[in-house]
Amino acid sequence: KTAVGPPPEAPSELITTPISSSRVDLTWQDNSDNESGFRIERRTETGSYSQIGTVGAGVTSYSSSGLSASTTYYYRVRAYSAAGNSDYSDEASTTTLPPPPSAPVLKSPASRSTVSSLTPRLEWNASSVAVSYGLQISTNYRFTSLVIDETGITDLFYDVAPGTFNWNTTYYWRVNASNSFDSTSSWSSYRYFRMPAGS
């Protein structure tokens, strides 16, 4: 019976990229043509390595998710086949992004109120570490029919432009917050208000 052959060559050029507060993406160079796949291992600064996943032959990327925010993780990868494991790639580390801001709390107009003009000002409270806000206004509470969909608002208010709203119509609105790493909060609880009946 002939031997199964040498184990595959070790992968190289392992790169880790933080994508969010809970996800890191990995890429590496495949240096062999006889692997069955790759094994991915991870550790924290004080922990030991453990395998977190495998990918098939020729696959050179992996998403590591379910991580803690603002935490440094270390990774290494090796190829495997019936002949055994390759050497490990060089170790690569990265730190996950900070957590997103908390969802803003809407301030005015009060929910279920009737505003006095077709150009109301919408206001909300600041979220810690937020640098900008997003705003959606819709004619339904599911926000499937958007009248306004704005991002990058740096004030804590938004003045509705003339010609946007209609008389005697109910509008629903919500706001989210983003930090300097482009991590975005969940949407605030929505509120709704009614336009005046008109003249």
Side-chain angles (χ1 to χ4, degrees), residues 109 112 135 165 192:
R112 304 180 181 87
L135 167 70
F165 286 168
Y192 64 90

Side-chain angles (χ1 to χ4, degrees), residues 1-7 34 81-84:
K1 188 175 181 179
T2 58
V4 294
N34 63 335
S81 70

Side-chain angles (χ1 to χ4, degrees), residues 18-24 66-71 73 96-100 183:
I19 302 300
S20 70
S21 59
S22 62
R23 174 182 157 192
V24 170
L67 308 177
S68 299
S70 302
T71 302
Y73 291 92
T96 51
L97 300 181
S183 292

